[in-house]
Amino acid sequence: MAITITKDDDRIVKTEYAELMQKSYIDYAMSVIIARALPDVRDGLKPVQRRTLYDMRELGIRHDRPHRKSARIVGDTMGKYHPHGDSSIYDALVVMAQDFKKELPLVDGHGNFGSIEGDGAAAMRYTEARLQKITEEAFLADLDKDVVDFIPNFDETEKEPAVLPVKIPNFLINGSEGIAVGMTTSTPPHNLAEVIDAELAYLADPEITTKGLMRYVKGPDFPTGGIVTNEEDLPAIYESGTGRIKLRGRVETEKGKAGRTNLVITEIPYTMVGAGIAKFLSDVAALSENKVTQDIVDITNQSSKEGIRIVIELRKDADVENFKNLLYKKTRLEDTFGVNMLAISHGRPETLGLRDIIRESVDFQFETARRKYTNLLEKERDRREIQEGLIKACNVIDLIIEILRGSKDRAMAKDCLVRGATEGIQFKSKESLVMAQQLQFTEAQANAILDMRLYKLIGLELQALIKEHEETVANIYRYEDILEERSSMTQVIRKELLAIKKEYAVVRRTQITQAQEAVYIEKAPEEMDVYFVMDRFGYAKTFDTATYQRNKETIDEEYRYVFPCKNTGRICIFTNTGQLHTIKAADLPLSKLRDKGVPVDNVSNYDSSKEEIVLLTSQSALNLYRVIFATKLSMLKIVDGGEFDVTKRTVASTKLTEGDEVISVTVLDGQQNMVLQTRDGYFLKFPVEQIPEKKKTAVGVRGMKLTKDDVVENVYFTRNLESKSIQYHEKEVELNKLKLGSRDSKGTKIRM
């Protein structure tokens, strides 16, 4: 066995070489594990991230102040807290600012901070950064209230927090990846609102199981979106803290040129962030080059700041579903994310399940809250002591003034106030001497009295002091209640969590489903009432009922089409070419008020450059009524709305003769009379009941006799006993006063 000889305090010590190597390696490994590679489960941060955020706070780089050079932040962090090289600090700063890597970016970056396609950030001398608002509110708040321990930095010239007082389970929300010695951590990011809901559920029932928590945490929520396809494996993963999550990118189909179909990848698996996109493009090109498939015509990467958009143009006769399966099997469009939720817990690395992480977070919240309110209580008690002393002093202010005037120095006056010592003090009367001997102010009260300014004797100032004292006493009672009653502290924590959720919650990006091998099966969403809206530019979206009711006037005013539907239903677009295009309501984003929505061209076969919308409504509404068609060549028919309950993206809604087009599609709901108005000024009013009901494939019957080159320009409907007028060439025409005629007659000409 090899032996090494070392010198220790002038003594020669013989050591087994193997023992020395083992001890040194263990020390090195633990240093890497604890001090560099693994996050702490309490704040979800690695040391370099924690130190960088703390340093930014100390530099005053707040969210409402100007950005500062990244080089300034990196240099200060390295000099004070993290002496491991500037590149590791800057890399951590960059990642905390990238919204495609973090569910909740903690740093607001200004400049080139890299891209989802793998472009690196600009050098630190070119970029700037500052803290995000949530970082200040949920990560760095209360550091001045002794809520966490501070430890010496590497050279013991500064103090740094051992852990940040994070108010949310950041280890779950932002996830973490790191390689230590002999172990790795890989935790996927999760939706902030869902994680907070789970923590609230744990606060309400500490005995809740992992299965119970998963009613709130559905699964990972990656910043890049995508689809998790092994939903049934998630309970075991969240119970043990380890497993494999299967991910797929989101693929949509679009109508391409010359009748081709385009596959458009709008979301990628989280594992493709970085160089993975270039690798994917290369792999797809290789499929064609290696003659694995002959379906590819072209592939382009149209991704931008707006999001991912990779377009694969397929041959006209390509089997789209089969090609999708090929992409899932042969490229990283379907990938796995290895889960190993390893973190530092109680000073050592542990693999934690969902419930363990939530429990650790809740325990940490109670610990920081206990320390915070203990600190606040002590300060309020000190404040109460001073306030009571000043109020008492104001009641005997004449005596105190007499003591001050009769004392030789501050020490003599203070001694009298604290102990009633009157030796050496000149008093005007014996009564004052006796009263002075009875004074028993505390040290703090005596100092406050001696420092008190004369304006404090003003009546209003005294009233303000009394009011302040009442508030202090109320705070003391409140803080004592929080510290003594767990339910009160729980309410405080709940309130903070709900406030964070209300301000910072975002809609889930990643879809959770169970899919078969290489086949995407769309999971039907839970049915709910929504409102479909579309603006004049053709951007469509849906609102939940609550959002619509809160903003009804604004929505009705700003959007061209607004109507209720089911999120599981379809939207019907009738066009002037006689086509019916359908859109799945689920394909439209359930949005907030100011979200842009998506162009209807992208989610249907409707082409706004070639067609005009005549009617836009929900398929469920059509099923309840009949629909009347009118064309410019005066062809009319009524069709049962149920005939338009189709699943195809596009069908013919009516048959048109050459040169004809649809000018009106109207849902019949009690209208009694129809008025046709031609371009040459002929008006014909007749009962709706004269129009026959036909199939959607029929042409219909003639509505009125047209003169040469005349066409129907407008269609109106009236009800009996209802007054309705229109403007025709600056002349007002009252429709209810028009003579009631018969279908297929010429009508009456209105003179201009």
Side-chain angles (χ1 to χ4, degrees), residues 24 32 89 110 121 175 220 251 379 428 468 470 594:
S24 298
V32 172
I89 301 171
H110 185 229
V251 182
K379 289 183 178 180
K428 293 181 180 180
E468 184 181 337
E470 292 173 352
R594 295 303 174 192

Side-chain angles (χ1 to χ4, degrees), residues 352-469:
L352 305 167
L354 175 62
R355 186 177 184 279
D356 298 325
I357 297 169
I358 296 294
R359 185 194 68 242
E360 292 275 3
S361 178
V362 169
D363 291 345
F364 183 56
Q365 294 303 309
F366 275 99
E367 173 62 18
T368 55
R370 182 190 63 78
R371 294 181 62 163
K372 172 183 176 180
Y373 287 102
T374 298
N375 179 276
L376 291 175
L377 179 59
E378 291 176 358
K379 289 183 178 180
E380 290 297 314
R381 284 173 173 170
D382 291 342
R383 191 176 290 114
R384 179 181 63 180
E385 179 184 348
I386 300 299
Q387 292 167 348
E388 290 176 348
L390 293 176
I391 293 171
K392 181 179 176 183
C394 288
N395 293 331
V396 291
I397 191 63
D398 292 335
L399 174 62
I400 290 175
I401 293 174
E402 193 172 338
I403 292 171
L404 295 177
R405 295 184 64 182
S407 300
K408 295 179 180 180
D409 53 30
R410 180 186 177 102
M412 182 179 290
K414 180 179 177 181
D415 202 28
C416 180
L417 293 173
V418 174
R419 298 189 302 105
T422 58
E423 294 82 358
I425 301 177
Q426 298 294 326
F427 291 96
K428 293 181 180 180
S429 64
K430 188 175 181 180
E431 289 78 3
S432 298
L433 174 64
V434 173
M435 290 175 63
Q437 290 174 341
Q438 297 174 357
L439 294 177
Q440 290 184 339
F441 289 101
T442 65
E443 290 272 345
Q445 290 174 339
N447 286 327
I449 292 169
L450 294 173
D451 293 336
M452 183 175 65
R453 298 188 178 185
L454 290 176
Y455 79 87
K456 289 289 185 181
L457 301 177
I458 299 173
L460 291 177
E461 288 292 330
L462 180 57
Q463 290 299 319
L465 179 61
I466 293 173
K467 183 177 180 181
E468 184 181 337
H469 176 255

Side-chain angles (χ1 to χ4, degrees), residues 174-323:
N174 268 332
S176 182
E177 293 184 30
I179 301 175
V181 177
M183 57 185 68
T184 62
T185 181
S186 180
T187 304
H190 293 78
N191 186 271
L192 178 141
E194 293 180 3
V195 173
I196 288 179
D197 285 341
E199 187 162 354
L200 293 172
Y202 184 90
L203 284 169
D205 178 17
E207 301 301 320
I208 191 171
T209 62
T210 300
K211 183 178 179 181
L213 290 172
M214 288 191 66
R215 289 200 295 267
Y216 307 95
V217 180
K218 308 298 184 183
D221 186 23
F222 296 99
T224 54
I227 303 165
V228 172
T229 61
N230 60 331
E231 183 180 17
E232 63 184 15
D233 296 334
L234 295 182
I237 293 173
Y238 283 115
E239 187 68 48
S240 64
T242 60
R244 300 175 72 83
I245 292 173
K246 295 181 181 179
L247 283 172
R248 283 181 183 169
R250 189 175 296 279
V251 182
E252 299 176 355
T253 57
E254 289 184 0
K255 186 169 64 174
K257 300 176 182 177
R260 299 191 185 108
T261 299
N262 292 344
L263 280 185
V264 183
I265 298 161
T266 57
E267 295 176 6
I268 60 173
Y270 187 65
T271 51
M272 275 177 59
V273 171
I277 295 180
K279 179 68 165 58
F280 171 74
L281 296 173
S282 175
D283 290 344
V284 174
L287 292 175
S288 182
E289 292 172 3
N290 298 334
K291 300 190 183 302
V292 177
T293 178
Q294 299 296 318
D295 292 336
I296 301 174
V297 175
D298 190 22
I299 177 170
T300 56
N301 184 5
Q302 302 175 10
S303 302
S304 65
K305 290 182 179 180
E306 302 300 320
I308 295 294
R309 182 177 170 82
I310 300 172
V311 181
I312 303 174
E313 188 176 354
L314 302 181
R315 294 186 185 277
K316 195 170 185 178
D317 57 349
D319 186 335
V320 177
E321 289 301 318
N322 188 56
F323 185 78

Side-chain angles (χ1 to χ4, degrees), residues 656-672:
L656 295 174
T657 58
E658 185 177 352
D660 201 2
E661 67 177 78
V662 178
I663 63 169
S664 172
V665 181
T666 306
V667 176
L668 286 176
D669 185 16
Q671 299 95 321
Q672 294 168 310

Side-chain angles (χ1 to χ4, degrees), residues 638-653:
I638 293 176
V639 182
D640 187 284
E643 289 203 34
F644 305 110
D645 191 353
V646 295
T647 57
K648 291 184 178 180
R649 287 168 64 91
T650 300
V651 296
S653 64

